[in-house]
Amino acid sequence: MSSSRAFTALLVTAGLSSAGCVRSYASESALSFKDLDYSTEGTKQPWPVHRVALPDVSARYSLGTALHVSYVDLPAASPEAKTVVFVHGLGSYLKFWRAQLDVFHAQGYRVIALDLPGYGKSDKPATFPYTMEAMADVVLELTRVLGVEKPVLMGHSMGGQTSLSFAIRYPESLSALVLVSPAGFEKFTWKEKAWFARVMSADFIKYAPEANIWGSVRQGNFMHWRPQLEWLIEERVRLAKTPEFDAYAYANVRTVRGLAHNDFVRDNLGHVTVPTLIVYGTDDRLIPNPFLHGGETRDIMEFGASNIPTASLVPMKGCGHTVQLDCPEPFNEVALAFVKDPASARPFVEKAREDKTPKPGEPAPVPGAPGTQPSPMPQQQDAPAPADGPRP
């Protein structure tokens, strides 16, 4: 069986086993990206959505037409208030900060959340490079167009790696960094990068059965699923029926390749100079990549925290990858406290690990046994590519 077919079979199994008796949206009408519901969760009050052209990014990456991105801007009551810019993750859009935007705005902050190129209501040009460096350039130009100086950047997963690239390359253009289950710390070998390019395709994403979507979204990202989150499934299923979805799927494929080529960020973490908060769920099922090399989320996040001189690290017990939606109340409490006073955050201090070296007379651990998974650190550079693949 080919790697892509084997992975599809695995996802079907995951989807069916995790979803149980759930509502199907397969018979619902198509949903256009421009008609996505960007509103508060409780009152359904619409957020003001704006579009703006980014001529500098368009020229820098030789785009045929001017790139337009969409964003929400909730103004602060005071001109002296801090601005928090929210950057979403792979396959998502600014609505994935639904549990944060109004909460932060109510605390007096100016709140900006954007749809990155290829996602949500923003343009989806095939010629955009979809690297994290190009994404960071988009965030930089948007803040400059909106007259924002030194914002706090808050990025989830892919948005975390984008925010890291921003902080490394433009340290004078932000004041603090909140990384939520960030990509960018994990090491991928050249074989794993080649495997990503081979397995991921636009058709793989476009034609994913609904059971797969339930499995990858609900099981892959959440530990505390609730009915209020079903919009994640409904919108994903209905969006796949719109002609624009082809461009979105292609953007996902290109972005996955950009994420895997993370050496710039990983090799330059020491150049992050602003106060940095790293928040992750202890039950994250996506970082490290479970299909490529496995390992422990704690190891990945502690690697990042130990290499960023200004970092503090907060694990959220029992929470999944999309921690800001999975555990919104405790996440907001921690993130708000940091944004209010980044300098007061407790710096990360690496704790001594338990020595697992066998004592004289004890048997050596069996490879592959529980607790003996290989560490996703640089020494794995020659590990062979496995037969299974990433989630769509």
Side-chain angles (χ1 to χ4, degrees):
M1 183 182 291
S2 69
S3 58
S4 60
R5 288 182 179 178
F7 179 51
T8 300
L10 177 63
L11 277 182
V12 170
T13 302
L16 293 175
S17 64
S18 65
C21 296
V22 296
R23 178 178 176 181
S24 172
Y25 297 96
S27 61
E28 299 288 337
S29 61
L31 175 67
S32 173
F33 283 90
K34 67 180 178 61
D35 293 328
L36 283 169
D37 172 30
Y38 285 4
S39 65
T40 62
E41 186 171 33
T43 64
K44 295 291 185 179
Q45 179 69 30
W47 294 319
V49 180
H50 311 277
R51 278 175 61 84
V52 66
L54 302 181
D56 291 348
V57 168
S58 302
R60 179 169 188 171
Y61 295 105
S62 302
L63 303 181
T65 58
L67 173 69
H68 288 74
V69 296
S70 297
Y71 65 95
V72 164
D73 187 354
L74 305 179
S78 168
E80 288 78 32
K82 293 180 182 179
T83 299
V84 185
V85 177
F86 292 83
V87 188
H88 64 78
L90 176 69
S92 59
Y93 32 93
L94 66 82
K95 190 176 175 181
F96 278 60
W97 296 106
R98 196 176 199 181
Q100 283 71 50
L101 302 190
D102 295 295
V103 172
F104 276 74
H105 184 240
Q107 293 297 314
Y109 299 110
R110 181 182 181 184
V111 168
I112 297 172
L114 77 155
D115 285 332
L116 291 168
Y119 299 91
K121 300 175 188 253
S122 288
D123 290 350
K124 301 168 180 62
T127 53
F128 187 77
Y130 295 103
T131 63
M132 300 310 102
E133 285 60 60
M135 297 290 200
D137 289 340
V138 167
V139 178
L140 177 68
E141 186 173 1
L142 178 64
T143 58
R144 289 178 174 175
V145 168
L146 298 181
V148 177
E149 296 183 1
K150 301 180 77 69
V152 177
L153 286 190
M154 188 175 302
H156 172 241
S157 196
M158 174 192 77
Q161 187 170 331
T162 296
S163 300
L164 281 165
S165 180
F166 186 111
I168 292 165
R169 296 160 66 221
Y170 309 117
E172 73 288 347
S173 297
L174 76 165
S175 62
L177 196 58
V178 180
L179 304 174
V180 186
S181 309
F185 298 157
E186 188 174 358
K187 179 69 176 179
F188 295 101
T189 71
W190 69 268
K191 292 181 181 179
E192 291 170 340
K193 294 173 185 178
W195 176 85
F196 270 122
R198 184 175 71 249
V199 172
M200 291 300 294
S201 70
D203 283 351
F204 180 76
I205 296 170
K206 181 177 180 179
Y207 297 111
E210 188 174 13
N212 295 26
I213 296 168
W214 272 102
S216 61
V217 172
R218 176 173 171 172
Q219 182 173 340
N221 287 272
F222 293 89
M223 296 299 294
H224 304 282
W225 184 263
R226 52 197 183 277
Q228 293 87 342
L229 294 171
E230 286 197 17
W231 60 267
L232 292 158
I233 309 297
E234 178 183 1
E235 291 181 358
R236 171 62 177 80
V237 172
R238 294 177 63 194
L239 285 169
K241 300 178 180 183
T242 185
E244 194 182 1
F245 193 84
D246 288 349
Y248 162 82
Y250 181 72
N252 271 262
V253 172
R254 292 285 303 277
T255 307
V256 167
R257 297 176 188 180
L259 281 165
H261 290 77
N262 68 338
D263 295 338
F264 170 77
V265 163
R266 197 173 188 277
D267 293 344
N268 288 280
L269 294 175
H271 290 91
V272 177
T273 57
V274 297
T276 301
L277 171 67
I278 304 169
V279 183
Y280 73 95
T282 59
D283 286 17
D284 191 319
R285 291 169 172 161
L286 297 182
I287 297 179
N289 190 295
F291 301 102
L292 291 179
H293 41 235
E296 298 292 335
T297 307
R298 172 187 170 187
D299 292 336
I300 298 294
M301 298 303 161
E302 289 192 357
F303 170 84
S306 65
N307 281 275
I308 297 175
T310 56
S312 60
L313 183 66
V314 177
M316 298 230 144
K317 188 174 181 180
C319 300
H321 180 69
T322 308
V323 64
Q324 77 274 19
L325 286 175
D326 198 25
C327 303
E329 289 81 10
F331 171 82
N332 289 343
E333 182 180 353
V334 168
L336 281 167
F338 175 81
V339 171
K340 181 179 180 180
D341 187 9
S344 67
R346 180 181 300 177
F348 171 73
V349 178
E350 191 169 11
K351 297 178 181 179
R353 296 299 186 90
E354 179 185 353
D355 184 6
K356 296 185 179 180
T357 304
K359 296 180 175 60
E362 289 185 352
V366 178
T372 62
Q373 294 179 326
S375 170
M377 294 291 109
Q379 64 266 27
Q380 288 188 296
Q381 294 185 12
D382 294 323
D388 295 321
R391 299 180 183 277

